Amino acid sequence: MGFSNLFKILILVSVSCMIFEIVDGYYLPGSFPHRYFVGDQLSVKVNSLTSIDTEIPYGYYTLPFCKPLEGIKDSAENLGELLMGDRIENSPYRFQMYKNESEIFLCKTNPLSGEEFKTLTKRIDEMYQVNLNLDNLPAIRYMEKDGFFLRWTGYPVGVKVQDVYYVFNHLKFTVLVHKYEHENVAGVIGTGDGAELITPTNETTTDDGYVVVGFEVVPCSVNHDINKLKNVKTYGKYPSPIKCDPVSVGMGLKEGKPVTYSYEVLFVMSDIKWPSRWDAYLKMEGAKVHWFSILNSLMVITFLAGIVLVIFLRTIRRDLARYEELDKEAQAHMNEELSGWKLVVNDVFRSPNNPQLLCIMVADGCRILVMGVALIFFAALGFMSPASRGTLLTGMLVFYVLLGIVAGYIAVWLWRTLGNGEKRGWFSVSWRVACFFPGISFSILIIINSLLWGSGSTGAIPFTTFLVLILLWFGISLPLTLIGGFMATKAPYLEFPVRTNQIAREIPAQKCPSWILVLGAGTLPFGTLFIELFFIMSSIWLGRVYYVFGFLFVVLILLVTVCAEVSLVLTYMNLCVEDWKWWWKSFFASGSVALYIFLYSINYLVFDLKSLSGPVSAMLYLGYSLFMVIAIMLATGAVGFLTSFFFVHRLFSSVKID
């Protein structure tokens, strides 16, 4: 494919992704619009307490908050939510549709024990946020600072002022509603709170009804008069007006003193339509930098990589064309004076060191790459929106497990190719592919989970979820990998075009060690990724919503292209200096981008997560970063190796040397 064609494809994909991003209602929000009539009950749910200071989630009811009268009940959670540490539970906050209420007394806790006081003040010091959601919308908080309006999801547990801890015990809710428009509901897939398919319809209705399109909260610290609450029951009216001033504090925490909670709710008619209700959450800070910097990186790096590829291909074609124009006598004379890559013709396909490990890593890398492409593609189409909590991680697991058949096939096919068609050992290769990356992942996960268990965090994966993961691994992934490996034993393998000498050719001494070039080659693929990487890291560790999967898909395409070109060029350079040990170098030439990503992760930890406190939080961060880096190394390494492998095969298939 020429550079011009590649450039046109990238432009087309970029434009398509921008259309996906700006078309109103393009995404499938994850739950169908719930129609409420005036007076219908709305129930607020609570999620885990989170903090960008520790990155360790805790259950909402681990703090002395008011509990529901009907008892605490867990909401249905998918596998992705459990792995992310989400714990959705019911709450005592409840409203009636389009009924404004104020001064609602919720509860008075028991006098704070020493342990409760210590835990509550510790959570305030660690900047923990309370996360509420209504009709699958997280509570959002607006605040003005230096003339700018900032958006946050959730609200802080409390605040410390002059060595005194204050808790936010009064919440002012604002629920934005919109008239229910039956004719606008079409093709919405229920993957969140609902699981129905609504077909297009043009019917209209005259019945009153509303949908929730916004959920805002203003936390306040109010010092309630306990003496006025003797005869007030839950959801009763507080005897005197409550002034909610977010810039002042009043409810100071003291050991042995109870905390009184209250709330108010205001319903506001909004012009926001239901398909656009997530727009407030999806607006990312630095949007212009995000869009234009990525587009600039795509064009510049693609242009440079394309020019290198075009020059490289023309050089080889001219070399081969000049060789084939000679007659047989001239070719025989030229064979005696061969130089460069032609000298290693009888060594270039010599089996590499640890061929089985190479087959396993390449196969697992292909599996991860295909999983990533499929996942980001469906996310760009809107099937994995933030309204559907946990679907991105669930989809990742499903794709990885089902693609076991692809990994098994590629591993055994490559194993047979390296062994000149030998089928012996295919079973060993297959089951090792099924256990290689999952085994590494489980090892990291067990260490992380042990730290979370020791901290009492809801982020710790329950034992039953571990059993489900093991069942997916050995019950589905392993059999599919073995099936793929068996299919490869029946498929044709790739025969080498030249014979390999029994005695290996000595590699001349090099002025510059080739592994330095291999490690340096990862800088170009990293250049295509690092801007997008900042937004992804901010989404994971700073609680921001990431939803520009269209551009991420373009970046992934460009990353694969650059990895292929970098590995191909470096392989050719190695062959030109008579270095026939290109197998592992072609893998790590593109796979070395993972090294720079890990260094960037450390840089992000030091300079962007300065508030991250404690060795447990740092271990969690490094553990998850290591997991991500290994996956990227395998995927990019597989791209580089397969590109170099087919290039070398094609190159030496064109050479007529006896």
Side-chain angles (χ1 to χ4, degrees):
M1 180 184 295
F3 170 70
S4 60
N5 292 333
L6 177 63
F7 187 80
K8 292 176 182 177
I9 291 175
L10 284 171
I11 290 291
L12 180 61
V13 174
S14 300
V15 173
S16 302
C17 291
M18 283 189 286
I19 291 175
F20 280 139
E21 298 294 338
I22 63 177
V23 172
D24 181 36
Y26 77 94
Y27 59 88
L28 304 176
S31 59
F32 61 88
H34 194 130
R35 183 183 185 185
Y36 296 98
F37 295 97
V38 175
D40 284 354
Q41 182 169 308
L42 302 174
S43 298
V44 177
K45 295 182 179 180
V46 295
N47 203 340
S48 300
L49 305 173
T50 56
S51 168
I52 61 173
D53 188 57
T54 66
E55 301 296 346
I56 302 175
Y58 289 98
Y60 176 82
Y61 292 108
T62 58
L63 295 183
F65 291 137
C66 299
K67 297 179 175 58
L69 297 178
E70 66 273 19
I72 301 172
K73 298 178 182 178
D74 292 331
S75 298
E77 296 168 334
N78 56 45
L79 185 59
E81 287 180 287
L82 293 172
L83 293 176
M84 291 171 60
D86 288 343
R87 297 296 182 270
I88 313 297
E89 298 167 311
N90 59 334
S91 81
Y93 297 103
R94 62 188 188 189
F95 319 138
Q96 289 183 317
M97 172 56 75
Y98 226 95
K99 182 180 179 182
N100 297 333
E101 297 178 281
S102 60
E103 291 93 32
I104 303 174
F105 169 71
L106 196 59
C107 80
K108 183 182 72 172
T109 67
N110 295 324
L112 295 179
S113 65
E115 187 64 28
E116 289 175 330
F117 176 78
K118 180 181 177 181
T119 303
L120 195 54
T121 54
K122 183 179 180 182
R123 297 292 178 262
I124 293 174
D125 283 334
E126 294 172 337
M127 298 188 296
Y128 269 87
Q129 301 278 320
V130 178
N131 299 296
L132 310 176
N133 68 73
L134 175 68
D135 194 47
N136 209 30
L137 275 180
I140 193 169
R141 175 171 57 99
Y142 294 93
M143 60 180 295
E144 185 177 359
K145 185 177 182 181
D146 299 329
F148 295 95
F149 279 96
L150 303 178
R151 298 184 303 273
W152 301 89
T153 53
Y155 65 91
V157 173
V159 65
K160 183 181 180 181
V161 180
Q162 296 179 351
D163 296 329
V164 179
Y165 292 92
Y166 296 89
V167 65
F168 290 119
N169 61 331
H170 180 83
L171 301 180
K172 181 180 180 180
F173 295 108
T174 301
V175 181
L176 306 181
V177 296
H178 187 81
K179 276 285 188 179
Y180 182 82
E181 299 176 359
H182 196 70
E183 58 185 5
N184 289 338
V185 179
V188 180
I189 293 180
T191 55
D193 292 340
E196 298 182 6
L197 176 66
I198 300 179
T199 55
T201 176
N202 294 320
E203 297 179 5
T204 58
T205 177
T206 58
D207 295 336
D208 291 331
Y210 301 92
V211 292
V212 177
V213 295
F215 184 39
E216 301 173 4
V217 62
V218 177
C220 300
S221 180
V222 178
N223 190 14
H224 294 293
D225 188 351
I226 299 178
N227 296 324
K228 295 181 179 181
L229 301 173
K230 292 181 179 179
N231 298 321
V232 181
K233 296 183 179 180
T234 302
Y235 304 116
K237 186 83 171 179
Y238 189 76
S240 59
I242 299 176
K243 182 181 179 182
C244 182
D245 184 4
V247 297
S248 63
V249 291
M251 187 63 214
L253 291 176
K254 292 182 180 179
E255 187 176 342
K257 180 182 177 181
V259 180
T260 302
Y261 291 92
S262 59
Y263 69 95
E264 59 186 281
V265 58
L266 175 67
F267 287 85
V268 177
M269 183 64 69
S270 173
D271 294 332
I272 300 173
K273 294 186 178 181
W274 189 85
S276 303
R277 66 179 191 158
W278 274 88
D279 287 357
Y281 303 88
L282 303 182
K283 292 178 182 178
M284 300 178 65
E285 286 73 15
K288 291 184 178 180
V289 176
H290 179 78
W291 292 77
F292 290 108
S293 294
I294 291 179
L295 189 60
N296 179 68
S297 297
L298 290 174
M299 299 309 169
V300 173
I301 296 174
T302 304
F303 178 76
L304 292 176
I307 292 297
V308 171
L309 182 61
V310 169
I311 294 175
F312 174 58
L313 289 179
R314 286 182 177 177
T315 301
I316 292 180
R317 286 177 180 174
R318 186 166 55 248
D319 198 0
L320 289 175
R322 186 174 66 251
Y323 179 80
E324 292 185 355
E325 287 175 358
L326 302 175
D327 55 24
K328 292 184 178 180
E329 183 177 349
Q331 286 185 15
H333 178 71
M334 185 177 179
N335 288 344
E336 299 176 357
E337 302 176 355
L338 289 178
S339 62
W341 57 270
K342 308 175 199 69
L343 284 173
V344 297
V345 64
N346 296 122
D347 294 277
V348 70
F349 292 110
R350 190 176 302 280
S351 183
N353 298 326
N354 300 314
Q356 191 176 78
L357 179 61
L358 180 63
C359 296
I360 292 170
M361 294 178 69
V362 170
D364 238 332
C366 292
R367 183 187 202 177
I368 294 170
L369 178 64
V370 175
M371 176 200 72
V373 171
L375 193 70
I376 296 173
F377 176 75
F378 282 107
L381 294 179
F383 286 95
M384 299 176 183
S385 76
S388 306
R389 293 179 300 271
T391 53
L392 196 66
L393 199 53
T394 303
M396 185 185 301
L397 285 171
V398 171
F399 279 125
Y400 185 83
V401 167
L402 296 181
L403 287 170
I405 192 169
V406 174
Y409 185 92
I410 293 176
V412 175
W413 174 84
L414 186 57
W415 173 254
R416 291 187 62 209
T417 298
L418 295 179
N420 294 318
E422 179 62 50
K423 297 181 181 180
R424 187 186 309 165
W426 75 267
F427 186 84
S428 174
V429 172
S430 297
W431 78 260
R432 290 185 182 185
V433 169
C435 297
F436 180 71
F437 184 69
I440 295 174
S441 304
F442 261 81
S443 300
I444 297 174
L445 199 60
I446 289 173
I447 295 174
I448 292 175
N449 218 48
S450 300
L451 296 174
L452 292 173
W453 266 332
S455 302
S457 169
T458 57
I461 301 175
F463 180 72
T464 52
T465 305
F466 255 113
L467 293 180
V468 172
L469 293 176
I470 293 174
L471 181 63
L472 289 173
W473 182 4
F474 291 102
I476 301 178
S477 179
L478 179 60
L480 286 177
T481 307
L482 294 177
I483 291 173
F486 178 75
M487 292 171 59
T489 62
K490 305 297 181 182
Y493 66 94
L494 193 64
E495 297 184 9
F496 295 144
V498 294
R499 292 181 289 106
T500 301
N501 288 339
Q502 292 184 350
I503 301 176
R505 179 185 180 85
E506 183 179 354
I507 300 176
Q510 308 297 329
K511 295 181 180 179
C512 178
S514 58
W515 280 104
I516 293 180
L517 294 176
V518 169
L519 294 177
T523 55
L524 189 57
F526 179 73
T528 69
L529 188 65
F530 80 97
I531 295 178
E532 198 69 22
L533 191 62
F534 170 78
F535 288 94
I536 294 174
M537 299 285 277
S538 298
S539 172
I540 296 174
W541 301 108
L542 296 180
R544 298 173 185 170
V545 178
Y546 183 88
Y547 200 54
V548 285
F549 290 104
F551 271 106
L552 182 59
F553 188 71
V554 176
V555 170
L556 181 61
I557 294 175
L558 187 59
L559 177 65
V560 170
T561 305
V562 174
C563 284
E565 294 168 348
V566 165
S567 180
L568 188 146
V569 170
L570 197 67
T571 298
Y572 178 69
M573 291 173 60
N574 284 326
L575 295 179
C576 285
V577 295
E578 303 176 32
D579 185 356
W580 47 266
K581 294 183 178 181
W582 59 271
W583 303 88
W584 282 105
K585 293 173 184 175
S586 66
F587 183 92
F588 287 110
S590 54
S592 61
V593 66
L595 172 64
Y596 297 96
I597 293 176
F598 189 71
L599 294 176
Y600 178 83
S601 300
I602 296 176
N603 174 80
Y604 190 85
L605 172 64
V606 174
F607 295 102
D608 292 273
L609 294 179
K610 296 178 181 178
S611 61
L612 198 65
S613 62
V616 174
S617 300
M619 287 288 291
L620 291 177
Y621 176 86
L622 293 175
Y624 286 123
S625 298
L626 182 61
F627 172 80
M628 175 184 67
V629 163
I630 293 174
I632 293 175
M633 181 197 69
L634 292 174
T636 54
V639 171
F641 172 81
L642 290 177
T643 303
S644 295
F645 177 72
F646 288 113
F647 162 73
V648 171
H649 187 276
R650 179 64 183 272
L651 176 63
F652 284 91
S653 296
S654 305
V655 178
K656 302 173 183 177
I657 300 180
D658 297 329

